[in-house]
Amino acid sequence: DTAVSQTPKYLVTQMGNDKSIKCEQNLGHDTMYWYKQDSKKFLKIMFSYNNKELIINETVPNRFSPKSPDKAHLNLHINSLELGDSAVYFCASSQDRGERGYTFGSGTRLTVV
Amino acid sequence: AQTVTQSQPEMSVQEAETVTLSCTYDTSESDYYLFWYKQPPSRQMILVIRQEAYKQQNATENRFSVNFQKAAKSFSLKISDSQLGDAAMYFCAYRSATGGGADGLTFGKGTHLIIQP
């Protein structure tokens, strides 16, 4: 009964490929997010979705696109992968405005070779 | 934009002792939320404790407590009776309470906590 689940946990791919990371939450939360953790462990928000509407779109390359088929899912699609995209990507969710905190998935380690 | 600073890249403590992790933040807002997250080697991000800025009382969760100094914009985490399972990266995070929609967390760069047996 995982609260926020991401697949796959590990992803190794070649430069130039297109890949997707899936995220699902069963908490009934209103908002979902994608965070990127770089090699120095720094976490930065990429996107958030609230009721299927994009609320935050930080200055990430437009090769990254979030897709939300419904309130419980927020997938991350990445086109034309580059070496610099290698990182750990975390999905998270929160109820309302997240005052009580965010629940994170276990992360997807993406390695671009 | 808000910033969160954790000035201790790494801390080490003997098992059963007490350790304090520092966090300062910069904001012009008066209402916000602060969090400490733990990331063990498993990579999972785990919420340790949260604090609402409008509450003067410091939050506590079992062996974890905070020292929230709003005027100084300081939010330190104290871990009492340290256990081997406390070894992890600890991230301080800020979340605005204002704005027109859902806001994300702004994280510090983390403190790597080592527990010496």
Side-chain angles (χ1 to χ4, degrees):
Chain A
D1 57 343
T2 304
V4 180
S5 61
Q6 295 179 228
T7 54
K9 293 192 184 306
Y10 298 92
L11 182 56
V12 181
T13 187
Q14 291 187 327
M15 280 196 308
N17 284 351
D18 302 338
K19 290 293 180 184
S20 292
I21 305 172
K22 295 184 177 181
C23 179
E24 175 182 5
Q25 56 98 1
N26 62 4
L27 299 166
H29 283 172
D30 295 327
T31 310
M32 296 183 72
Y33 311 81
W34 277 103
Y35 284 82
K36 178 180 180 180
Q37 186 173 42
D38 62 23
S39 59
K40 296 184 177 180
K41 302 284 189 180
F42 184 59
L43 281 147
K44 187 173 182 180
I45 188 165
M46 301 176 71
F47 304 104
S48 73
Y49 254 76
N50 179 276
N51 292 325
K52 300 176 72 173
E53 178 184 359
L54 182 65
I55 299 297
I56 300 173
N57 187 348
E58 295 291 315
T59 55
V60 299
N62 57 14
R63 298 181 294 103
F64 291 77
S65 56
K67 299 186 189 302
S68 179
D70 55 58
K71 182 179 167 182
H73 296 83
L74 182 64
N75 303 323
L76 182 64
H77 189 74
I78 315 169
N79 291 325
S80 302
L81 278 155
E82 301 177 357
L83 293 176
D85 297 332
S86 296
V88 179
Y89 292 86
F90 284 95
C91 177
S93 70
S94 71
Q95 182 62 38
D96 299 325
R97 299 169 64 85
E99 296 91 341
R100 288 182 288 275
Y102 295 58
T103 302
F104 283 81
S106 57
T108 296
R109 180 176 293 280
L110 171 65
T111 303
V112 182
V113 298
Chain B
Q2 297 83 16
T3 57
V4 177
T5 301
Q6 293 179 249
S7 59
Q8 306 152 318
E10 187 172 278
M11 291 282 285
S12 181
V13 64
Q14 290 289 127
E15 195 176 2
E17 293 188 347
T18 296
V19 64
T20 298
L21 307 184
S22 300
C23 173
T24 58
Y25 56 93
D26 185 24
T27 184
S28 58
E29 299 175 332
S30 60
D31 198 13
Y32 47 86
Y33 302 91
L34 296 165
F35 305 88
W36 278 98
Y37 276 87
K38 168 185 177 182
Q39 187 178 39
S42 67
R43 203 170 69 198
Q44 182 71 49
M45 293 289 289
I46 303 165
L47 178 62
V48 174
I49 200 165
R50 60 182 284 274
Q51 176 79 41
E52 295 153 337
Y54 61 85
K55 288 188 177 180
Q56 291 186 333
Q57 186 174 6
N58 290 324
T60 61
E61 288 287 343
N62 301 314
R63 297 183 296 107
F64 298 87
S65 62
V66 298
N67 183 4
F68 173 50
Q69 301 290 328
K70 191 172 183 179
K73 296 180 183 176
S74 172
F75 183 61
S76 60
L77 175 69
K78 185 172 83 171
I79 306 174
S80 303
D81 185 26
S82 298
Q83 300 176 359
L84 293 177
D86 296 333
M89 282 289 290
Y90 285 81
F91 293 95
C92 179
Y94 172 103
R95 186 204 173 283
S96 172
T98 59
D103 291 328
L105 294 169
T106 299
F107 284 92
K109 293 189 174 181
T111 296
H112 181 211
L113 179 63
I114 299 168
I115 310 295
Q116 304 280 5

